Amino acid sequence: MELRHLRYFVAVAEEGSLLTAAQRRLNTSQPSLSRQIRDLETEVGVQLLERQARGVALTPAGRVFLDHARLALLQVEAATDGARRTAQPQRPLLSMGFLVGLEVMWLPHLLRILREEAPEVEVTLCTQSSPELALALMRGQLDIAFLRPENDSAGLIYKTLAKEPLIAVLPADHRLASRKKIRPQDLAGEIYVSSARTSPVLQAVILDYASRVGITLKPKYEGENISSAMSLVASTGGISLVPLYAQNMLAPNVVARALEGGTPTVDLALGYNQANASPLLRRLLSRADELIANVQNQSIIRYVEAQ
């Protein structure tokens, strides 16, 4: 079995079409790609794809194989990057990733610890969605990330930083803005703006909450992230549910209100790849509790149960 077979199979599985994968992803012909897939199925000994009138679909065996194929390709990519960095040593580098808005709260304290541990280190930063951050950690493109604990994240370890209560954000002139707390039943009759389009973990928490309190939250608008969701709230007059830290990103025409009753929470974690042998990473992890305490003591964060 060759790596190209795995790459071809993943492309076909993700596109759902041999023709589309051949033309859009692999720059090859469909007959050639079909032969490569047949060779792979012969090597594995089971059928991985079902040919249909409009493309292809994964068999149960194919779905299992796809997860392992993706992981194998990620490990090869990480191994290649690691070997290149070792062969071409440069200035010490630490790559960090954040959910949008979190860097404002956590980065200053993290940089202070870094200056004490390794003043010569070069730091790179990026802000992405939680699934994208998890994927970058798996690929070895990031050393640490502030994200949600993702389900499909083989090889990653998460240390919980905070359990963030969800709050409601709504326009300052909304009829419910005069209340200190928003009842779950009040949400059901309002325009709902999803803040979790790219965050399946947050989406699961919100849907579980809605089910628990007996309401349906069907998004009329979906933001790419929390920041864009709050822009949609301001422009559409809708309401969104966001983690507590988002109150530090509010525009002047948007307000935050606590939820009445049992408040749902979503975990925020520090994630890293267990295969990352960086001594600096280990030293940072040893001071994670100190980092958490420093952020919790910062008055602007207010990581407490919403009152």
Side-chain angles (χ1 to χ4, degrees):
M1 188 182 302
E2 300 181 22
L3 286 176
R4 61 187 173 88
H5 288 141
L6 299 183
R7 293 191 180 97
Y8 289 173
F9 171 74
V10 170
V12 173
E14 291 179 346
E15 296 293 341
S17 165
L18 285 161
L19 179 60
T20 303
Q23 294 179 342
R24 187 178 299 173
R25 297 269 295 269
L26 302 173
N27 193 29
T28 187
S29 66
Q30 181 179 348
S32 174
L33 180 57
S34 296
R35 287 194 300 271
Q36 299 290 341
I37 297 298
R38 285 197 299 270
D39 290 345
L40 176 61
E41 290 177 321
T42 299
E43 179 72 23
V44 177
V46 296
Q47 184 179 359
L48 302 175
L49 296 169
E50 292 178 340
R51 280 67 174 176
Q52 300 178 339
R54 295 185 177 181
V56 295
L58 289 167
T59 64
R63 286 193 290 271
V64 173
F65 189 79
L66 177 61
D67 291 337
H68 290 281
R70 283 171 168 159
L71 181 57
L73 292 173
L74 289 174
Q75 289 173 330
V76 169
E77 186 175 340
T80 301
D81 290 341
R84 287 171 177 167
R85 285 199 297 265
T86 301
Q88 300 174 345
Q90 299 174 349
R91 184 179 176 185
L93 176 67
L94 186 77
S95 300
M96 298 187 289
F98 294 86
L99 289 170
V100 176
L102 282 176
E103 69 278 7
V104 176
M105 297 174 292
W106 293 88
L107 183 57
H109 301 284
L110 186 57
L111 289 179
R112 181 183 60 77
I113 293 175
L114 273 174
R115 285 194 294 269
E116 296 173 2
E117 294 290 342
E120 77 287 357
V121 71
E122 180 180 345
V123 176
T124 64
L125 304 174
C126 72
T127 55
Q128 294 176 302
S129 70
S130 187
E132 289 172 329
L133 292 171
L135 186 59
L137 287 172
M138 293 168 65
R139 288 176 171 173
Q141 296 169 339
L142 290 175
D143 292 301
I144 59 173
F146 293 73
L147 72 171
R148 310 294 175 198
E150 298 293 333
N151 294 323
D152 298 323
S153 51
L156 300 191
I157 295 178
Y158 297 102
K159 178 177 177 59
T160 301
L161 298 173
K163 289 186 175 293
E164 300 178 288
L166 295 191
I167 56 176
V169 292
L170 58 160
D173 58 357
H174 194 282
R175 65 181 182 85
L176 297 175
S178 60
R179 299 183 181 181
K180 291 184 177 181
K181 291 187 176 183
I182 304 296
R183 297 181 305 169
Q185 293 74 21
D186 292 330
L187 298 173
E190 298 297 323
I191 296 172
Y192 179 62
V193 178
S194 172
S195 64
R197 180 176 177 180
T198 57
S199 179
V201 174
L202 178 57
Q203 179 74 356
V205 170
I206 293 173
L207 291 178
D208 179 73
Y209 169 69
S211 175
R212 177 160 52 86
V213 298
I215 63 174
T216 299
L217 295 176
K218 185 176 181 181
K220 187 171 183 180
Y221 303 98
E222 292 187 290
E224 285 292 334
N225 49 46
I226 289 176
S227 179
S228 64
M230 289 197 290
S231 296
L232 285 169
V233 164
S235 60
T236 66
I239 293 180
S240 186
L241 298 181
V242 299
L244 180 61
Y245 85 89
Q247 67 182 336
N248 301 296
M249 304 161 57
L250 293 178
N253 56 347
V254 176
V255 297
R257 295 291 181 264
L259 295 172
E260 189 175 275
T263 306
T265 63
V266 60
D267 286 353
L268 173 66
L270 177 64
Y272 62 96
N273 194 318
Q274 63 182 349
N276 190 332
S278 165
L280 176 57
L281 173 62
R282 301 300 158 182
R283 298 205 299 273
L284 286 178
L285 293 174
S286 71
R287 300 182 65 175
D289 290 340
E290 174 189 343
L291 174 66
I292 295 171
N294 288 339
V295 173
Q296 288 178 336
N297 290 333
Q298 187 177 350
S299 61
I300 192 174
I301 305 307
R302 302 191 298 279
Y303 271 127
V304 296
E305 183 71 19
Q307 299 296 324

